[in-house]
Amino acid sequence: MWPSNVIVLSLCGLVAAGDQCNCKSAGLKCFYDSSCPGLGCGAEGHPNCRFCGDSAGQFQACPSKKEIEAAAQATTPKPKPKLKHIEAAAHVTTPQTEHAEKRDKPKMSGDKAIKAKSSHDRCPCWHSTTLRCFYDVGCPGIGCGAHGHDNCRFCGDKAGQFPACPETEMPKPEQPKPKQSKPVKQTDAQPSLDAELGDAVLDTPMTLDVYRCMAAAAVDTHPFEDDDIADLTGALKYVHTEILTEHLQSPIRTTRKYAIDAFTVHRLRIKNPKTVLHTTKALQGEFSQFVTYDFGQATNPAQLPMLAEQGDFVGIAPCTDLHCDVRFPSQRPYSWLSLGNWCPNLTWEKKGTKQKPNPKCLKSQGQTIKGGLCPNGFNSKDFVPGSDPTGEQGCVYTYGTAKVVKLDDVVGITQEKCGKQLCKDWLDFRFNCSNDDYRRQFSLDGKIVPVKYCVEFDIHPACEANCQAEACKNVLSSSAEAYLGLPFWQGRCDARANERRAEMVGFAMGVPGALESHNLVESSALARSCPASKDTSWSCKPLLELGFAGPYCTRTFNGACDRCWIPGTQHGPPGSKPHCPLNILTSSTYTDLAIQPVCKTQAASDGCCLYTDTCEGESDPQSAKISDDGLALVAARKSTEDMEEYLKRAALQSPLFKDLPLSGENLKWAAYFTWSSAPVGMTLDQALAELKLFLESKQQMIRLITTTTTTHALSVSLTTPKPSGPACAEKSVSFAPLDMPGTTMSISSLQQCQDRCAKQKGCLHFSFLEPPAGVVKGSCHLSGFSAAPQVNSLGWISGPPTCWNEVKDKGLLIDKGHTTYVPISFACMTWGSSFSPALDGAYATLEAKDFPSEEDATLECQKRCHQRKECTHFTVQFPYRSCILAGSSANVLSGIVGAISGPARCDNRAMQSFYWEVLPESQKAFWRPTLPQAMNIALAVLAAVGLAAPFLRCSQRLWRRRPSSSARGVGQVGNGEDYDVLLPHGSDSDVPA
């Protein structure tokens, strides 16, 4: 919902706009808004048109005619103040303030923002009395996008959420007067940039490698659509920060979070549509906005107008300021990407099909959005895509089959000892690792406590949420352990360690330049020039007023055009920015422009002169000075052998290395990571400290992982193999919650696990975790009535306490799926879903003393819903026994463990649905007669009804009140209520299942 003061301004704009906002093609209404462009703007390609009031209620209501007239009368034009231009971009020393383009600066004073002096100011933040902002050439990024303007950064709110606003008076930068001992060629390159730096590269598709962390068994089993993915560093960050931390997870889990056990990489060919390319909306020249998806649905409603306007596209969310996540510092920019947009406003189960989409699916240009994956766009036989996208709607990307490496191999689990043999996998390591140092974790107060299982990774609680917190800095600077677990994951708060990890994963995935040249990008992608992105928030044109410090664009980091800066120029770069590769001025993007940065010194440690080849000093490793400048000069040679020789010379002059051998693999790897494609920015003292760390390590710091990397996805069977043991057991399915009240995990065989469930009162399911090869017994868990099936549970086998063909008294039992045998009274109910929001006052707790079983509590909650007029849905949430009643407008939420929901009354349709949709075909023979048979049966039934009507009226009451029972002791249900269920003709023992 937009602020009301913005809407008032929008209404005024509508009067002036006339009918220029016509939104017929999207099937949505829109209106003119003078505060656009921004989120929600750009309707039908008009930057100042904002979507509103669609029939589904996704957007704000459109303004009425009276509102427009009232706003127009209340607003009178004010004379514009005289303009006072600032001739060059101002430079503010606060980390969040960078000002690099000619503009008039809005004065900031006190808690309120004052109107800017110039009508050309692109940050009209005086509209807000709570949040102010200023222009920042370093945007977009975290904190940017103020009031819909990409280059406007929020600042100085009352709550202190953002950094302080710039001072009232902003100093003009001094004219560059470099003091240089060597002449530096000055060039009037700026006038030629607009002419030379073009966008022709956008007319051809680009190549990009994207990464995911997931269960290996699920790779390439579904189309690559409506997904969020990342580059290599982004995927690694996700695992390290979201998946592994031990003290935040259940100690009894038997897989990593989300069953993640593999890294995957896909190669994409991308060409976004004309609604994105060559427009001011493009990010990094070639992408649109990043869209977050959950269950196939775009989770940010504010992006739906943008999706309706642009249709199919690949989006991106870059992290270019190196501080996007305070838990994971990085020296390399990284990005997240989003694919798809197929019916993005609905979840998977509501979309319909691409041939017959749900009528409520979002439209673009009059057509339902069907996704950007080209027809036949997946090459299942090769890593390289088999065709190129056209850039038209419905065909903006293609991809090949995945390369897959097992995470256990990469992180070293399969090199750890588990008894007398190497660990087979994560689970084997978890229970059987031989190194007792791994059997430790952090408690929430930061103490190290012993545990009975082996820990892959844990981080001190002071550092888990923020590596920059003072408490974390104190831990890291002390002798206390900050990390526990495998060596591979040590040092999450160290940007250098994160860089090393990324290269090791890249090497395992077969990236040619990993651990050899620091290059993690495919060669053809690296050779592609970057578009100028002129007049966008992502300009690749370096600025004269910053001494040509930047911004430049390079594909070195991940294949997309990320911005970078040349360090050590006369007036830049602003703040902490990623350094450009040393060959940026001769790259395909800038090679013809003859740009010459204005360096403030000729010292190599400042960085700038390395780009212009004007540094003072020698770079030969045998004669270079043992100093910061000498280190930088040798690093610029980009040679591990040269750096190794130089570090040996430096170490021999330091007492720190008196008893350390200056040889071996760790010396080589220390030398390799002291140089890069860009200036590393290390001092000599820092380089020697890191060298000492490498040489003192008892383990090899860099492990060359030899994996079973494949160029094809793992073969996955879509049929469920029959496990050994009970005939009705189902593989790759478990039930959650795992352990019903009063039970705990036990170690047994599969058959013993089922027998245990049969003896346990109230047990409806057993879940058995298969043991490692050669071990007979595994983990046995028992679950009750409220447990829901969890499909794709790798390594699990589940089943009922008694198989169906062994149940002697089937009574009125039915199978709800995954061998969930329940009384027929529950036919209309759903496990694992709930309805929200609740009606007023419609929340109660069903105490166990009043309703002993979960079945009793469930039927009682349904009864209460039936008795309340406005209730149409109920939900019971176990183990809390909460009864929640909801109305007809409630939304259903899926994947809620312990929840059972359903309608206020189970009617005939529930059983009809059960018989016609749930039962196996073999058990529907009686109910699916041929047409002649159906006519004969119908005539017979009509005759029988006429003859036996009196008898049926009497027997109906008895029939409906007959209590159902279960051979497993589910107990009596019905409680005398009149449940409308459709029963088959014949005795109860004939009920099919």
Side-chain angles (χ1 to χ4, degrees), residues 54-315:
D54 67 320
S55 57
Q58 294 170 338
F59 310 112
Q60 180 168 320
C62 301
S64 66
K65 185 176 180 180
K66 290 184 178 179
E67 289 174 322
I68 296 171
E69 294 174 350
Q73 293 174 0
T75 307
T76 57
K78 298 182 179 180
K80 294 182 179 179
K82 294 182 179 179
L83 303 181
K84 181 181 179 181
H85 292 287
I86 300 176
E87 294 299 326
H91 179 69
V92 179
T93 57
T94 56
Q96 299 293 334
T97 59
E98 300 111 22
H99 303 267
E101 295 188 355
K102 295 180 181 180
R103 82 268 186 248
D104 295 309
K105 172 192 164 299
K107 288 187 177 181
M108 302 291 182
S109 177
D111 289 330
K112 296 184 178 181
I114 303 175
K115 289 187 178 181
K117 296 179 179 180
S118 170
S119 61
H120 298 290
D121 188 285
R122 279 172 277 183
C123 296
C125 303
W126 57 84
H127 294 328
S128 174
T129 59
T130 56
L131 295 178
R132 295 175 290 152
C133 63
F134 60 92
Y135 185 82
D136 184 353
V137 72
C139 287
I142 301 299
C144 300
H147 297 286
H149 296 266
D150 291 337
N151 275 81
C152 296
R153 185 184 291 279
F154 282 115
C155 65
D157 65 320
K158 294 179 181 179
Q161 182 180 3
F162 303 106
C165 300
E167 297 295 332
T168 303
E169 296 298 332
M170 301 177 64
K172 297 180 181 179
E174 296 179 2
Q175 294 298 320
K177 296 179 180 179
K179 297 179 179 179
Q180 301 169 338
S181 57
K182 290 185 179 181
V184 178
K185 180 182 178 182
Q186 301 295 333
T187 177
D188 187 18
Q190 181 70 2
S192 67
L193 288 181
D194 286 333
E196 299 291 340
L197 200 58
D199 290 333
V201 67
L202 298 177
D203 297 329
T204 59
M206 67 177 294
T207 298
L208 191 70
D209 290 346
V210 296
Y211 295 78
R212 298 181 76 184
C213 306
M214 60 188 302
V219 176
D220 285 343
T221 58
H222 296 84
F224 219 13
E225 292 184 294
D226 294 353
D227 281 322
D228 295 330
I229 49 183
D231 63 10
L232 176 55
T233 305
L236 183 64
K237 185 209 81 72
Y238 170 72
V239 173
H240 214 168
T241 58
E242 307 295 339
I243 301 301
L244 300 177
T245 304
E246 183 66 40
H247 72 265
L248 299 180
Q249 302 188 62
S250 168
I252 63 171
R253 70 190 189 281
T254 52
T255 66
R256 289 188 187 90
K257 193 174 181 180
Y258 307 135
I260 288 175
D261 63 356
F263 279 110
T264 71
V265 57
H266 285 88
R267 178 154 296 168
L268 270 64
R269 292 283 284 168
I270 301 169
K271 184 181 180 183
N272 270 316
K274 60 184 178 181
T275 54
V276 175
L277 300 182
H278 299 288
T279 72
T280 58
K281 305 177 186 68
L283 287 177
Q284 297 185 239
E286 296 161 307
F287 300 91
S288 185
Q289 292 182 29
F290 175 80
V291 180
T292 54
Y293 290 103
D294 278 334
F295 303 104
Q297 181 183 41
T299 59
N300 184 359
Q303 290 184 312
L304 292 178
M306 179 264 296
L307 288 163
E309 177 198 347
Q310 298 180 13
D312 304 320
F313 59 80
V314 178

Side-chain angles (χ1 to χ4, degrees), residues 491-510:
R492 196 184 80 182
C493 287
D494 181 358
R496 299 275 298 162
N498 291 333
E499 179 79 7
R500 295 194 291 268
R501 257 185 294 276
E503 290 217 32
M504 283 191 279
V505 174
F507 181 86
M509 310 235 30

Side-chain angles (χ1 to χ4, degrees), residues 244 256 260-261 406-418 421-431 433-434 438 454-457 485-489 703 705:
L244 300 177
R256 289 188 187 90
I260 288 175
D261 63 356
K406 296 302 290 287
L407 195 54
D408 296 340
D409 294 334
V410 175
V411 305
I413 280 179
T414 52
Q415 300 301 312
E416 293 289 341
K417 281 292 188 70
C418 286
Q421 59 187 11
L422 295 178
C423 296
K424 175 185 175 183
D425 52 25
W426 185 90
L427 186 61
D428 190 14
F429 169 80
R430 179 78 169 173
F431 291 114
C433 80
S434 301
Y438 296 144
C454 299
V455 172
E456 180 178 6
F457 171 74
L486 296 172
F488 179 87
W489 295 115
R703 182 180 296 169
I705 307 297

Side-chain angles (χ1 to χ4, degrees), residues 762-840:
C763 179
L764 262 70
H765 315 280
F766 68 86
S767 297
F768 180 79
L769 182 63
E770 294 180 284
V775 180
V776 176
K777 295 186 177 182
S779 304
C780 176
H781 303 263
L782 307 184
S783 300
F785 178 78
S786 62
Q790 310 295 306
V791 296
N792 296 324
S793 298
L794 303 181
W796 288 90
I797 300 174
S798 66
T802 305
C803 293
W804 183 261
N805 58 0
E806 298 173 359
V807 176
K808 296 179 180 179
D809 182 14
K810 295 181 173 62
L812 296 181
L813 292 177
I814 61 173
D815 186 352
K816 290 288 289 183
H818 299 291
T819 62
T820 301
Y821 306 148
V822 297
I824 201 169
S825 303
F826 299 91
C828 63
M829 300 181 193
T830 304
W831 273 249
S833 66
S834 66
F835 285 87
S836 179
L839 295 170
D840 292 339

Side-chain angles (χ1 to χ4, degrees), residues 599-928:
C599 301
K600 62 182 178 182
T601 72
Q602 303 310 119
S605 56
D606 285 335
C608 178
C609 62
L610 297 172
Y611 295 83
T612 60
D613 196 23
T614 57
C615 292
E616 296 175 338
E618 296 293 332
S619 66
D620 189 312
Q622 295 181 348
S623 57
K625 290 184 178 180
I626 305 300
S627 65
D628 294 347
D629 290 336
L631 176 70
L633 285 165
V634 176
R637 296 168 70 97
K638 295 189 281 190
S639 165
T640 300
E641 292 77 11
D642 288 349
M643 181 57 70
E644 187 174 354
E645 184 174 353
Y646 179 81
L647 289 178
K648 283 183 181 179
R649 284 182 55 218
L652 290 172
Q653 299 182 25
S654 171
L656 297 174
F657 300 87
K658 182 178 180 181
D659 299 321
L660 292 175
L662 296 177
S663 61
E665 285 294 301
N666 280 347
L667 171 62
K668 167 193 164 184
W669 290 119
Y672 174 76
F673 283 102
T674 308
W675 67 270
S676 186
S677 60
V680 177
M682 295 180 73
T683 65
L684 180 62
D685 288 343
Q686 291 171 333
L688 292 177
E690 187 169 279
L691 173 62
K692 185 172 183 288
L693 174 70
F694 272 65
L695 295 180
E696 287 179 338
S697 174
K698 297 178 181 179
Q699 300 182 4
Q700 188 171 320
M701 290 289 287
I702 304 299
R703 182 180 296 169
L704 299 179
I705 307 297
T706 54
T707 70
T708 55
T709 303
T710 61
T711 55
H712 299 280
L714 299 181
S715 176
V716 180
S717 173
L718 298 182
T719 60
T720 303
K722 283 289 183 182
S724 59
C728 56
E730 189 174 9
K731 204 157 188 174
S732 296
V733 176
S734 64
F735 280 81
L738 273 177
D739 298 299
M740 60 186 290
T743 67
T744 58
M745 180 192 75
S746 65
I747 302 299
S748 68
S749 67
L750 177 59
Q751 186 60 58
Q752 289 171 338
C753 190
Q754 185 187 39
D755 295 341
R756 180 185 170 213
C757 181
K759 296 176 183 178
Q760 175 67 45
K761 182 179 179 180
C763 179
L764 262 70
H765 315 280
F766 68 86
S767 297
F768 180 79
L769 182 63
E770 294 180 284
V775 180
V776 176
K777 295 186 177 182
S779 304
C780 176
H781 303 263
L782 307 184
S783 300
F785 178 78
S786 62
Q790 310 295 306
V791 296
N792 296 324
S793 298
L794 303 181
W796 288 90
I797 300 174
S798 66
T802 305
C803 293
W804 183 261
N805 58 0
E806 298 173 359
V807 176
K808 296 179 180 179
D809 182 14
K810 295 181 173 62
L812 296 181
L813 292 177
I814 61 173
D815 186 352
K816 290 288 289 183
H818 299 291
T819 62
T820 301
Y821 306 148
V822 297
I824 201 169
S825 303
F826 299 91
C828 63
M829 300 181 193
T830 304
W831 273 249
S833 66
S834 66
F835 285 87
S836 179
L839 295 170
D840 292 339
Y843 183 95
T845 300
L846 304 176
E847 299 289 347
K849 62 182 179 63
D850 299 321
F851 308 97
S853 70
E854 292 182 337
E855 297 93 315
D856 293 338
T858 302
L859 291 173
E860 173 63 21
C861 189
Q862 185 187 43
K863 174 183 175 182
R864 295 186 183 190
C865 181
H866 180 58
Q867 292 172 344
R868 183 162 175 171
K869 183 178 180 180
E870 64 271 33
C871 180
T872 56
H873 309 283
F874 76 92
T875 302
V876 190
Q877 179 68 59
F878 296 102
Y880 311 108
R881 293 177 157 264
S882 304
C883 176
I884 306 164
L885 308 184
S888 58
S889 62
N891 297 313
V892 64
L893 305 175
S894 302
I896 311 299
V897 174
I900 302 174
S901 64
R905 190 179 183 88
C906 290
D907 57 19
N908 291 346
R909 286 175 296 178
M911 283 310 302
Q912 290 170 348
S913 173
F914 169 74
Y915 280 110
W916 300 130
E917 299 178 13
V918 178
L919 287 181
E921 290 294 328
S922 61
Q923 298 180 10
K924 294 178 183 176
F926 175 81
W927 295 97
R928 292 203 174 182

